[in-house]
Each structure stands twice: as C-alpha cells, then as structure tokens.
Amino acid sequence: MQTETAMTPTPTSLRTGLWLGALTSLAVIGVLYAGNQLAGTPFVPFDIFDWMARVLPGGIIVSVIQVMVRLITALNLGETSSTAKFMEQSIAIVQFVGGGALLGLALAWAGRGNRNGLPIYGLMGGLILLTFTLLVEGSLGFGDANVTVASLWLTAVFLGWGWLLARFVFQAGPALAGDTNAPVSRREFLNAAGLGSAAVTLAGLGLGRWLGDKPATTTSGPEAVAAPPASDDPFGAALTSGPAASPTPEELAARLAKAPGTRDELTHNDDFYRIDINTLPARINGDTWRLSLGGLVDTPLELSLQDLMQLPAVTQLLTMQCISNPVGGDLTGTTRWTGPRLKDVLALAGLSSRVRSLRVEAADDFFEYVSLEDAMDDRTLLVYLMNGEPLPTEHGYPLRVYIPNRYGMKQPKWITNIEATDEATKNGFWVVRGWDEEANARATSVIDTVYVDSATTPPTVQVGGIAWAGERGISKVEVEADASGVWEEATLINPPLSPLTWVQWRYDGWAYQSGQHDFRVRCYEGDGTLQIEELGSARPSGATGVHHMRVNI
C-alpha cells in the first residue's frame, strides 16, 4: 500500500515576521488611541516615551534636547517648540513600532522550531509587553484613567495583539509561498494582514480624532476673563499694576516705530513657545482641581480656582525664555499674565519661621524649588490668565507660576501642590539632570530684520530686533556690520512694555551698499554690563554669544 508524506509547511521568514510585527503595531496604536480619546485609557506609545524621559540619565536627555534644537535650527524645520514636540511624538511612535517588529521577529524565529506552539508564544509575548506596560503606567500613575478599567483594557489589547500576530506568522510562510496545503491563500492572507491592519489603524485613529476633536483650550471649571484692552491700548498696559506696572498707553503710543519685519512686541497665546516633559500636555478638570498648600504651614489648605480668583489679582506684561533657547532662537515670548501674588496665597496658610523654600509640584510630575526670597517677591504670581484669557491647556491650565529673572525651567505649569520646606537645596526636575539650579536669565540681543526701503534714493536700511536681560533691563544696544570692529549704537524703542519685558531696537545708521553683508548685535544690561559675547552652549546656564544675520542687499 502506498503512503503519502505530508509536505512540511514553508516557514515564515524572519523578515516577514519583522514586517508583520510592525504592521500590526500600527493597528494597536489606532486601537489605543481610540481608547484614550473615548475612555481616557493610556496611550501607551507616548507614555513609554515619557517614562524614558524620567528614568534615563540626565546627560542623555539633555543631549537629545540639544541635538533636536540644533537640527531644527540648522534645517529651518519651523518653530522650535512645536517642531520638537512633533519629533518627540514621532520618536515615541517609532519606538512602539520597533517593539512590535521585534515581537514579530521573535515569533517567526520561534515558529521555525515549533510552528504549532506559535499561539502560546504569541500570548507569552503579549504578556511580556503587557507586564512592561503596566509597570510603566504604574510609575506614571495611570494618568486620569481608572486603574482597573485601564488594566483590563490593556490586558485585552496586548494579549489580543500577541495572539493575532502569532496567527499571522503561522499563516504567512505557507500562504506567501503558495503551498498547496496552506490554510489560506496568498490573497486572503494579504487582505487579512495588510488591508485588515490598515483598516483597524485608520478606523482607530479616525474614531479617536473624532471623539477627541475639541479645542486645546476647552476645559471645564470656573473661568475669569479680563476686560479687553481699550482700542487705544493694544498691549493692555492700563490693566497692569504693582511694581512691574507698564507705562501709560499714551507713553507707549508715542514711541519710535519699530523697523519693518521686527517681531510683534506682544506674543499671541498660539505663538508662545511650549516646553514641558510630556509628549502631550496635562488636561485638568477645572471643576475638581484643587491647589494643595501644605508642609511647614499653620493651616494646610485646599484651594479651588474660584478661591484664587477671589484674591486681589495683579496683571504684568513679562518676557519668558527657555534656558535651552539658542542664541537668536524662538523659545521666548512676551505676554500679559494675571493672578494673585504668591505671597498673598501663602499668607492664607501662614508660613513657619523655618521655611526656606517651596517645593512646587505639577500634574505632569514636574517639580521645582522656589526660594523664599523669590516667593515673597511682589512680582511673583500664581497665573490663571494669559493675555486676558484662561491659561491654554498647553501653557498650564488652570494655574502656573511666574518668577521674575528666571528661565522657564524654574516655573512649573499645571500646578497641583505647594509644600513649604526647610530645605535650602534646589534640586528640581531639570537641576538633577544637569541644568543650573539658579537659572538666572542671561542678557541676549537678537536681529529680527534687515529691511531695505527701495522707495528712497539711495535706498535706506533699517536693522531691528529685541534685547532682554530679565529684570535687569537694557541700557544700550550696538550693531556692527561686516566684522568692521566698529560698533554703533542703535536706538532703543523706549520705554519697554514693562520692566520685565524685552525692549525693541532699531538701527538706521548704515549706509546702503549692495551685495552680501553680515550684521551683528550686542547689548548692555541696565547697569552697563556688556552681555557675554563668547559663544557658549545653552547647558547648563543658558546660551551666550553674539547674534548675527547675513543678508543679500
């Protein structure tokens, strides 16, 4: 009697396993995104990235930040903060897809030894990824999600992913090779694995986008909106008060006009830079949010946003800059901020005589220490309005702090807790990662424009820009052309919007010459101190150097 020998199925290649893992990971991303937008469950790719930013050595994180800023600047990829955030999110997605690709590779390798064991291997792989994910989410507190619901959801997603990927790996080899005894045809396999994964990915992302399609500034809770500035007061100068109050609208209106092409003196909320430690901004419900004030105080407090709005408010025009901003970079802006003085809020609780600093904590796990001297400064505010509107989500809704003369790294957003301590050390989030513990703003000057007015004979040239030195003010700006060694004084557009803002300047003294020219600028602080001209890295204390602009005229 003749016997038939069953044909051994064609094994799935490692390359195919790799691509199947990557392809199905995209579908998982779509499912996770839909769950995040529908029920607030964790969006794992971004959470893994955020977790890595917390656990990796500070030197690595700082190096990555500096490389991104340099790359964005060198390639002119766009506004730095939003482009950097997009790059972070892209890296997070690529990392997750890479993890899926490795899982597919491992299953293809395991299936060569025991093809029938692939379903178990897939579940085991999904379980490993699930365990890692739960550890990550646990360290981050699961965000705003219910821990039980989120855990069950993630269990279903990751075990389902492992099982489905194992099934695809099981079918891929015979189907793609056209084996006669393959469980599915080549076309059926490609439709299921390729088109099916793509459909799930697009459906998940589309559903999530539809469910989460709401303005970034939409948040529930009590909202105060400042009276709009008068038509003859475009900066809202008349709304300001306190020691950093602005000049009168009449004084500001009488100033010299800026050089055409100079940036706006007041930055719109949408254009203000955003730097924070998470891929997505914290979203806080203003109805339930409370500011906890405790530690070495007489009366611990839980204050609502409405409670803070009942306190006397101060409005200030001020400039803020990121410590990682390169010379001439765009991680800076000037806005009108409103809120109670921090010292008035602290007075409600009563500080112990032992207090030396405040530990300020935020909803995104950021924290920083504020010295008692800074906390008692009349210009230090707990801010809830930005340019007369509730703080946008990206900029710290419902509450952030402003401290004069410090870079933005010292000024937490999304504040949830203030603890009065007797600690003198200032080992905040970025300080322990290698940045300056004081973060005092350094003097800087920037050329925004070299404008040629061809309507005159001969044409005239106006050079314009800004200069800033924190609370110390600017006394003089000088411009040099073509490395001549001759520095000529520019005209300051005085008074500035406030003692805390940048000052615009213009220079009209250069005689028109066609061709390529290089202009440089430097500034002097209010007491006559020249800015640091030597080129220096942003880390650890802020970038230094002379800004230049090369133009063809």
Side-chain angles (χ1 to χ4, degrees):
M1 182 174 61
Q2 187 177 12
T3 60
E4 294 183 0
T5 302
M7 180 182 296
T8 302
T10 303
T12 299
S13 70
L14 298 182
R15 177 181 295 180
T16 299
L18 191 80
W19 283 108
L20 285 172
L23 187 65
T24 55
S25 69
L26 294 175
V28 172
I29 288 172
V31 171
L32 289 171
Y33 183 70
N36 173 262
Q37 296 298 306
L38 176 64
T41 53
F43 186 59
V44 177
F46 286 1
D47 290 347
I48 292 175
F49 184 92
D50 294 342
W51 171 79
M52 291 177 63
R54 288 158 172 75
V55 301
L56 288 176
I60 294 178
I61 301 301
V62 170
S63 296
V64 171
I65 292 173
Q66 292 180 319
V67 168
M68 284 199 300
V69 171
R70 289 169 183 164
L71 186 64
I72 293 168
T73 302
L75 299 180
N76 194 25
L77 297 179
E79 188 271 326
T80 303
S81 61
S82 59
T83 304
K85 195 59 63 177
F86 175 77
M87 292 173 69
E88 291 176 6
Q89 294 170 350
S90 299
I91 292 171
I93 295 297
V94 170
Q95 282 183 165
F96 191 84
V97 172
L102 291 177
L103 177 60
L105 179 69
L107 290 176
W109 177 81
R112 292 188 166 193
N114 181 8
R115 186 168 180 270
N116 292 327
L118 274 171
I120 299 299
Y121 299 151
L123 290 174
M124 290 174 59
L127 182 61
I128 291 172
L129 293 181
L130 172 65
T131 302
F132 171 71
T133 298
L134 292 177
L135 290 173
V136 168
E137 296 298 341
S139 70
L140 297 177
F142 280 86
D144 296 328
N146 178 281
V147 175
T148 301
V149 172
S151 299
L152 291 174
W153 167 249
L154 294 176
T155 299
V157 170
F158 280 95
L159 293 185
W161 181 19
W163 178 85
L164 182 63
L165 178 55
R167 180 176 177 83
F168 283 155
V169 171
F170 181 87
Q171 296 174 343
L176 295 177
D179 290 359
T180 56
N181 60 345
V184 294
S185 69
R186 178 185 179 90
R187 174 176 292 183
E188 290 171 333
F189 174 77
L190 292 176
N191 284 339
L195 297 179
S197 295
V200 172
T201 302
L202 294 175
L205 294 177
L207 177 62
R209 187 63 178 266
W210 178 71
L211 292 169
D213 189 17
K214 49 185 177 291
T217 55
T218 298
T219 43
S220 59
E223 293 185 353
V225 179
S231 58
D232 59 351
D233 182 19
F235 305 111
L239 304 175
T240 64
S241 57
S246 298
T248 66
E250 292 75 20
E251 289 177 284
L252 295 177
R255 298 177 300 169
L256 179 71
K258 66 182 182 181
T262 304
R263 74 187 70 186
D264 291 339
E265 201 166 6
L266 188 66
T267 308
H268 190 276
N269 289 356
D270 291 340
D271 298 326
F272 197 82
Y273 77 94
R274 172 203 165 195
I275 297 293
D276 45 71
I277 63 173
N278 281 354
T279 47
L280 293 174
R283 289 188 176 274
I284 296 176
N285 186 318
D287 287 326
T288 59
W289 173 87
R290 295 293 183 271
L291 173 65
S292 297
L293 182 53
L296 299 176
V297 298
D298 299 333
T299 307
L301 297 174
E302 294 279 331
L303 300 174
S304 68
L305 186 56
Q306 190 65 49
D307 293 332
L308 294 171
M309 290 177 179
Q310 299 304 313
L311 297 174
V314 174
T315 296
Q316 297 174 160
L317 284 156
L318 56 94
T319 295
M320 184 178 288
Q321 182 167 300
C322 179
I323 196 170
S324 63
N325 194 40
V327 173
D330 57 11
L331 299 178
T332 185
T334 294
T335 49
R336 189 176 69 252
W337 282 6
T338 301
R341 297 185 302 177
L342 176 56
K343 64 186 293 185
D344 292 341
V345 177
L346 297 174
L348 297 176
L351 293 183
S352 164
S353 59
R354 295 161 49 202
V355 173
R356 302 177 68 185
S357 67
L358 305 176
R359 178 184 167 96
V360 182
E361 299 174 350
D364 63 347
D365 295 331
F366 185 83
F367 65 95
E368 187 50 80
Y369 283 83
V370 179
S371 70
L372 185 60
E373 180 182 3
D374 278 343
M376 293 295 108
D377 192 313
D378 285 339
R379 302 164 299 174
T380 298
L381 306 180
L382 290 178
V383 177
Y384 53 73
L385 292 182
M386 183 176 184
N387 284 334
E389 300 175 354
L391 278 172
T393 296
E394 290 84 352
H395 298 301
Y397 180 88
L399 196 71
R400 68 177 298 166
V401 69
Y402 166 71
I403 305 167
N405 209 46
R406 309 285 183 180
Y407 283 118
M409 62 163 273
K410 300 290 288 185
Q411 317 203 34
K413 301 180 282 188
W414 308 293
I415 296 174
T416 58
N417 185 65
I418 298 177
E419 179 186 2
T421 79
D422 57 3
E423 299 174 353
T425 56
K426 301 178 178 64
N427 52 338
F429 185 93
W430 287 118
V431 176
V432 298
R433 288 163 174 79
W435 294 88
D436 193 309
E437 69 177 29
E438 296 296 333
N440 287 316
R442 285 179 157 172
T444 187
S445 50
V446 180
I447 298 173
D448 286 338
T449 181
V450 177
Y451 174 76
V452 179
D453 185 358
S454 301
T456 62
T457 305
T460 56
V461 177
Q462 293 180 22
V463 185
I466 58 98
W468 180 66
E471 67 178 0
R472 304 183 303 280
I474 298 294
S475 61
K476 184 167 63 172
V477 168
E478 294 177 329
V479 175
E480 178 204 53
D482 299 325
S484 64
V486 178
W487 291 89
E488 298 190 4
E489 187 170 352
T491 301
L492 299 182
I493 301 178
N494 272 328
L497 292 184
S498 90
L500 300 175
T501 67
W502 56 36
V503 61
Q504 293 183 322
W505 56 267
R506 59 180 277 182
Y507 171 66
D508 303 334
W510 186 75
Y512 173 84
Q513 301 174 44
S514 62
Q516 186 177 83
H517 299 279
D518 189 68
F519 294 89
R520 300 202 304 160
V521 63
R522 67 186 185 187
C523 69
Y524 296 77
E525 298 182 14
D527 64 359
T529 301
L530 177 63
Q531 73 170 83
I532 300 173
E533 295 185 87
E534 181 181 358
L535 185 63
S537 170
R539 188 190 186 199
S541 303
T544 60
V546 173
H547 185 241
H548 76 102
M549 179 177 286
R550 184 174 291 111
V551 294
N552 286 309
I553 296 178

